[in-house]
Amino acid sequence: AATKLLFLAIKNLAEKWKRPPKDWTAAMNQFAILFDERIHAVRN
């Protein structure tokens, strides 16, 4: 649960940044592998 909260907090902060953080795509892909159902639930 803590990892999910961290992910969502970073995601919310990233929306405010003018450019995405380095390696965000790689991190997002790793989160998608680990938390596939949760990420799809948040996106929908």
Side-chain angles (χ1 to χ4, degrees), residues 22-42:
K22 289 183 179 180
D23 299 325
W24 179 246
T25 304
M28 188 64 177
N29 289 335
Q30 187 65 31
F31 284 129
I33 292 169
L34 295 173
F35 304 106
D36 187 46
E37 300 86 21
R38 294 178 183 180
I39 290 176
H40 289 297
V42 171

Side-chain angles (χ1 to χ4, degrees), residues 13-24:
L13 286 174
E15 291 175 1
K16 297 178 184 176
W17 293 334
K18 295 184 182 203
R19 58 186 163 162
K22 289 183 179 180
D23 299 325
W24 179 246

